[in-house]
C-alpha cells in the first residue's frame, strides 16, 4: 500500500531516556514533516525537510533532533525525555515543489513518558 | 500569526442528520485542507480546497478565500462519521500548515 508509515505506534518510557521514532513514505513526495498533537488535540508543526534539507524548524527544544537519511525517510530522535513530551507525534509528507502541497499523515506514535 | 477558528467546537447529532462545520481564518491563505481524525486517532484527508466547491459522496466542502472561510457539509450522517474534524491552512508567504481548533462530531445511532 502507498502510504506514510511510522514506527512504533506506541512508546512508553521513563523520564530521562532517549528514544527515536521512524517515518517512511512511499508516495514519491519530496517533503516530510513532524507534528505534535497535545492532550487537547491541538496539532502543531515541529519540523519540515525538503529533499533532506531542513526548511522549517519551529521553536522546539533542542532535545528534539530530526534526521533525514533520504527524501523517503524522516526520523525524530528525542533526548532526555520529559513528562511534557507525552503526546501523539505525526509524520506527514507532500509534494511541495509541485505547488500542489496536499499533506498526507502517518498513523501517529503515542509517546508516554512516566 | 494566522488564527484558524472552527465552529461549533462540539456537535452531537442523530444518525441520518445533516451538519455544517465552519472554518474561519484571519488572513489570506494559499491552500486549505479538511481532515477527519477518527476515534482511533488516524488523520484522514477529506478535501484539498483552496477555493470553490468539491464533493465526495456524502461530504462536500466550499472555500470562499476572499471572505476567509470554508464550510464542510456532511449529509445523512453515519456513526462512522464520528471524530474530530480539522481544517488546516497555508498562510500566504508561509510554508507552515496551521491547524484549526477542531470540531468534535458525535453521531448517535
Amino acid at each position: 500500500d502507498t502510504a506514510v508509515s511510522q514506527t512504533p505506534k506506541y512508546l512508553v518510557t521513563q523520564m530521562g531516556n532517549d528514544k527515536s521514532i521512524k517515518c517512511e513514505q512511499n508516495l514519491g513526495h519530496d517533503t516530510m514533516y513532524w507534528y505534535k498533537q497535545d492532550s487537547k488535540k491541538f496539532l502543531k508543526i515541529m519540523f519540515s525537510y525538503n529533499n533532506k534539507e531542513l526548511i522549517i524548524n519551529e521553536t522546539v527544544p533542542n532535545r528534539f533532533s530530526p534526521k533525514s537519511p533520504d527524501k523517503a525517510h524522516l526520523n525524530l530522535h528525542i533526548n532526555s525525555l520529559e513528562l511534557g513530551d507525552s503526546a501523539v507525534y505525526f509524520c506527514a509528507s507532500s509534494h511541495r515543489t509541485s505547488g500542489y502541497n496536499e499533506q498526507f499523515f502517518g498513523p501517529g506514535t503515542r509517546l508516554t513518558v512516566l | 500569526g494566522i488564527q484558524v477558528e472552527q465552529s461549533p467546537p462540539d456537535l452531537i447529532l442523530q444518525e441520518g442528520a445533516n451538519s455544517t462545520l465552519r472554518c474561519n481564518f484571519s488572513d489570506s491563505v494559499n491552500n486549505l485542507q479538511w481532515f477527519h481524525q477518527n476515534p482511533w486517532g488516524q488523520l484522514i484527508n477529506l478535501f484539498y480546497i483552496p477555493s470553490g466547491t468539491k464533493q465526495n459522496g456524502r461530504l462536500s466542502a466550499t472555500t470562499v478565500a476572499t471572505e476567509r472561510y470554508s464550510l464542510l457539509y456532511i449529509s445523512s450522517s453515519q456513526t462512522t462519521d464520528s471524530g474530530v474534524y480539522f481544517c488546516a491552512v497555508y498562510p500566504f508567504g508561509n510554508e507552515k500548515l496551521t491547524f484549526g481548533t477542531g470540531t468534535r462530531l458525535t453521531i448517535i445511532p
Side-chain angles (χ1 to χ4, degrees):
Chain A
D1 282 348
T2 56
V4 182
S5 58
Q6 294 178 230
T7 53
K9 191 163 172 59
Y10 300 97
L11 190 49
V12 180
T13 188
Q14 297 286 335
M15 222 165 37
N17 285 350
D18 303 338
K19 289 293 178 186
S20 292
I21 307 171
K22 297 190 175 190
C23 178
E24 177 180 1
Q25 57 93 6
N26 62 5
L27 297 165
H29 289 163
D30 57 14
T31 304
M32 297 183 72
Y33 311 82
W34 278 110
Y35 288 82
K36 179 179 180 180
Q37 186 173 42
D38 62 23
S39 57
K40 294 185 179 176
K41 296 286 193 182
F42 184 65
L43 271 151
K44 192 167 193 288
I45 191 165
M46 300 172 69
F47 301 103
S48 172
Y49 270 77
N50 174 253
N51 284 323
K52 303 196 297 176
E53 181 185 345
L54 181 66
I55 57 171
I56 294 174
N57 186 352
E58 280 297 90
T59 50
V60 175
N62 57 15
R63 298 181 296 103
F64 290 77
S65 53
K67 285 189 173 48
S68 181
D70 55 61
K71 67 177 187 179
H73 296 84
L74 180 62
N75 303 323
L76 183 65
H77 189 75
I78 316 171
N79 288 329
S80 304
L81 278 154
E82 301 178 357
L83 294 176
D85 298 331
S86 295
V88 181
Y89 292 85
F90 285 95
C91 176
S93 72
S94 72
H95 198 174
R96 171 176 166 268
T97 51
S98 73
Y100 187 85
N101 204 2
E102 183 176 6
Q103 291 192 24
F104 293 85
F105 282 72
T109 295
R110 182 175 293 277
L111 172 65
T112 303
V113 183
L114 303 174
Chain B
I2 195 168
Q3 303 298 312
V4 185
E5 298 286 336
Q6 293 184 239
S7 59
D10 291 280
L11 189 55
I12 301 173
L13 297 171
Q14 291 280 344
E15 204 167 18
N18 301 329
S19 58
T20 301
L21 281 56
R22 188 176 179 102
C23 172
N24 290 334
F25 37 96
S26 61
D27 210 341
S28 300
V29 300
N30 275 323
N31 286 311
L32 185 145
Q33 289 187 241
W34 280 98
F35 296 91
H36 173 212
Q37 187 166 35
N38 65 21
W40 295 271
Q42 193 175 5
L43 279 163
I44 299 163
N45 288 40
L46 298 178
F47 294 101
Y48 178 81
I49 183 167
S51 64
T53 297
K54 290 186 177 179
Q55 178 146 13
N56 185 0
R58 297 182 295 105
L59 274 61
S60 65
T62 295
T63 297
V64 185
T66 53
E67 296 186 21
R68 300 182 184 171
Y69 73 89
S70 184
L71 302 173
L72 178 68
Y73 306 95
I74 305 173
S75 64
S76 306
S77 297
Q78 301 175 357
T79 55
T80 50
D81 295 331
S82 294
V84 182
Y85 289 80
F86 290 102
C87 71
V89 302
Y90 277 106
F92 263 125
N94 189 325
E95 303 244 4
K96 300 173 193 171
L97 188 65
T98 302
F99 277 77
T101 48
T103 291
R104 181 177 296 278
L105 177 64
T106 304
I107 304 299
I108 301 170

